[in-house]
DNA sequence: GAACACAAACTTGTGTACAAGAAGGTGCTC
DNA sequence: GAGCACCTTCTTGTACACAAGTTTGTGTTC
């Protein structure tokens, strides 16, 4: 089976299961609420409200909220409740840019190495496969795509860079998933990832960076188109529920 | 007077003054304790201990500690106290690398612009001065050096990149200050900053990046030498006090 | 009817009490 | 004396009570 593990201290989908402490569980739950648009950008809520809904006291709720605040998902209004941070497209654009910078730097470093790290082998096994062996499940692919980019950076060997990149990945996941709603992008992803990998293995940093950049740019463009529509319908859903 | 303001939500030296809430004050105080080696890497302590010393309850102390944990200054041992994270030189090396990557990317972007942002003018007024007008106070220079690099990144116009770079700056400040303990480095800093600025203003990205890289590398080398000695004597001081 | 003062209802910030669990010392057994 | 079980002590995790301050609605005045 494919190994994709990571220390992963902030994954919204998994942190709920291993609930070492309440605060972490609340953190995961809130994050998922935001990601699944149950809590919409701009929505206001109070600590007591969350505490009652989750059946715990305010203490762990506050701890979770402070973490989410630090990660800029929510903001506190002095003695006046909390708010899910409104969508800011410039924010995501900026994050995409930083992501590109870091990944390109990682690729450059990889090409400079004489021996390739294990991660590259793992990636080859996943992405350099015949067309018939390509996966089709959107959720799996979305997760694999994330791991492709993260593992590239991890392979470069700078843990702090990998950590920062991981944080960015977490932050843009909320809109990035939308990239995999259309099948054509799936095939394109296989092709583009494959080309990047080959360029790295052939130690050709310039083409590798260029293709990686183009690939991210393509995905970003796709997401940009979908997000507005998505947000709109989520708002309508929410109104329908009221 | 020179304007160097920044939103700056985590500066150890300033956050204590404007104590909006206790948690922030404790945060600043603890950070300063770590920076000034009153709390040494590896030192263990408890929440109650800190709370009593600062004359507050555990609640704001915990909030402050969680922030410091997230910024990887301290770590919690499950139901067994807290510890100042032991010095890890690889950690600082990695951060220096990421810093270099981000600043080089910023410089590249700056060179691509047709009009230069205001920040560049400010930096010129500080660093492109005759030798006679150079400042000599180490603390001021250390702060100005930090702002030079931060402002370069801010000038590039990507707020998220600037934020990440700012976080890194905060994290390496504890050892970076040591760079300004020797006068020769002061002169070198003036020369090197000046050269970088000129190269940017002349829209020559390659030399600009190379010089910036060399400058950071030089500073890193200097710090590397001093840190070990510094840490050693801090440990001896601490033992003498016991 | 409009504007202002006031009070009631909430909200977060902080302090405190108690619960769950880890570590280390103490006494017992062999 | 060595090893083990137990218990005390101390730690963080959580709940809850109260303080400080904001908002909002209501009543009064003009």
């Amino acid at each position: 089976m494919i190994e994709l593990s990571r220390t992963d201290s902030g994954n919204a989908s998994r942190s709920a299961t291993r609930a070492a402490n309440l605060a972490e569980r609340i953190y995961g739950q809130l994050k998922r609420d935001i990601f699944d648009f149950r809590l919409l950008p701009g929505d206001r809520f109070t600590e007591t409200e969350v505490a009652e809904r989750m059946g715990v006291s305010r203490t762990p709720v506050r701890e979770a909220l402070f973490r989410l605040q630090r990660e800029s998902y929510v903001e506190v209004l002095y003695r006046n409740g909390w708010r899910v941070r409104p969508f800011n497209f410039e924010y995501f654009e900026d994050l995409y840019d930083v992501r590109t910078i870091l990944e390109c730097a990682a690729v450059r470093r990889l090409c400079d190495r004489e021996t390739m790290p294990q991660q590259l082998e793992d990636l080859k096994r996943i992405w350099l496969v015949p067309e018939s062996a390509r996966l089709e499940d959107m959720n799996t692919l979305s997760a694999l795509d994330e791991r492709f980019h993260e593992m590239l950076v991890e392979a470069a060997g700078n843990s702090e860079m990998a950590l920062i990149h991981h944080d960015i990945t977490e932050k843009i996941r909320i809109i990035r998933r939308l990239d995999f709603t259309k099948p054509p992008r799936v095939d394109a992803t296989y092709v583009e990832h494959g080309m990047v990998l080959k360029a790295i293995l052939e130690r050709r940093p310039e083409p590798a960076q260029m293709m990686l950049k183009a690939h991210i740019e393509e995905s970003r463009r796709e997401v940009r188109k979908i997000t507005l529509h998505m947000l709109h319908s989520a708002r309508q859903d929410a109104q329908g529920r009221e």
Side-chain angles (χ1 to χ4, degrees), chain A:
Chain A
M1 203 26 223
I2 300 158
E3 183 52 67
L4 291 165
S5 64
R6 212 202 124 79
T7 45
D8 192 61
S9 65
N11 191 308
S13 53
R14 271 180 262 173
S15 55
T17 55
R18 52 154 176 71
N21 53 5
L22 284 183
E24 189 145 356
R25 204 183 77 200
I26 310 295
Y27 168 82
Q29 183 66 50
L30 280 173
K31 202 161 173 181
R32 238 173 304 129
D33 285 345
I34 293 172
F35 273 47
D36 299 345
F37 298 112
R38 282 187 295 273
L39 277 175
L40 284 171
D43 274 6
R44 294 182 58 169
F45 60 92
T46 71
E47 297 173 1
T48 318
E49 205 176 301
V50 176
E52 279 176 8
R53 181 153 54 88
M54 311 253 187
V56 297
S57 83
R58 275 177 55 219
T59 309
V61 170
R62 280 171 64 81
E63 196 182 316
L65 284 174
F66 287 134
R67 274 182 71 181
L68 290 168
Q69 179 185 33
R70 169 77 192 159
E71 294 165 16
S72 65
Y73 291 107
V74 300
E75 53 193 359
V76 58
L77 292 69
Y78 186 62
R79 290 193 204 276
N80 193 20
W82 292 75
R83 174 170 57 191
V84 183
R85 250 183 66 161
F87 249 9
N88 177 354
F89 289 98
E90 202 181 320
Y91 168 72
F92 290 109
E93 294 285 322
D94 283 352
L95 285 178
Y96 261 93
D97 270 335
V98 182
R99 201 192 128 194
T100 308
I101 291 170
L102 292 181
E103 291 187 26
C104 281
V107 163
R108 213 175 318 131
R109 265 141 222 246
L110 277 173
C111 289
D112 285 345
R113 297 179 56 146
E114 60 270 5
T115 63
M116 284 294 164
Q118 178 59 37
Q119 284 101 325
L120 267 286
E121 287 302 317
D122 298 339
L123 289 180
K124 270 167 69 181
R125 283 212 316 278
I126 299 172
W127 296 102
L128 285 174
V129 294
E131 273 193 52
S132 58
R134 288 183 183 170
L135 302 175
E136 286 179 354
D137 176 63
M138 298 294 188
N139 286 331
T140 311
L141 277 165
S142 180
L144 281 177
D145 176 59
E146 242 187 52
R147 288 302 294 142
F148 172 83
H149 293 274
E150 288 203 332
M151 282 171 83
L152 272 191
V153 178
E154 288 166 25
N158 181 323
S159 347
E160 291 307 311
M161 179 156 81
L163 226 79
I164 292 169
H165 182 269
H166 176 67
D167 285 348
I168 295 175
T169 302
E170 285 277 324
K171 286 179 182 171
I172 60 180
R173 179 182 302 143
I174 189 168
I175 61 165
R176 186 178 180 180
R177 297 168 302 176
L178 307 178
D179 191 17
F180 286 91
T181 46
K182 289 178 185 166
R185 276 304 296 155
V186 171
D187 281 329
T189 301
Y190 266 100
V191 173
E192 289 162 12
H193 284 186
M195 285 181 3
V196 170
L197 280 177
K198 275 186 201 145
I200 293 174
L201 294 168
E202 292 165 6
R203 308 281 197 297
R204 295 164 57 209
E206 292 309 326
Q209 284 182 70
M210 263 194 49
M211 284 186 288
L212 184 60
K213 217 164 164 174
H215 166 62
I216 298 176
E217 192 53 44
E218 193 56 47
S219 143
R220 184 218 299 241
R221 223 193 320 270
E222 198 65 28
V223 167
R224 216 177 301 185
K225 277 194 297 188
I226 307 171
T227 310
L228 281 167
H229 172 68
M230 202 76 177
L231 203 60
H232 180 67
S233 50
R235 282 240 168 71
Q236 288 198 320
D237 283 2
Q239 284 181 350
R241 267 184 274 128
E242 275 167 12

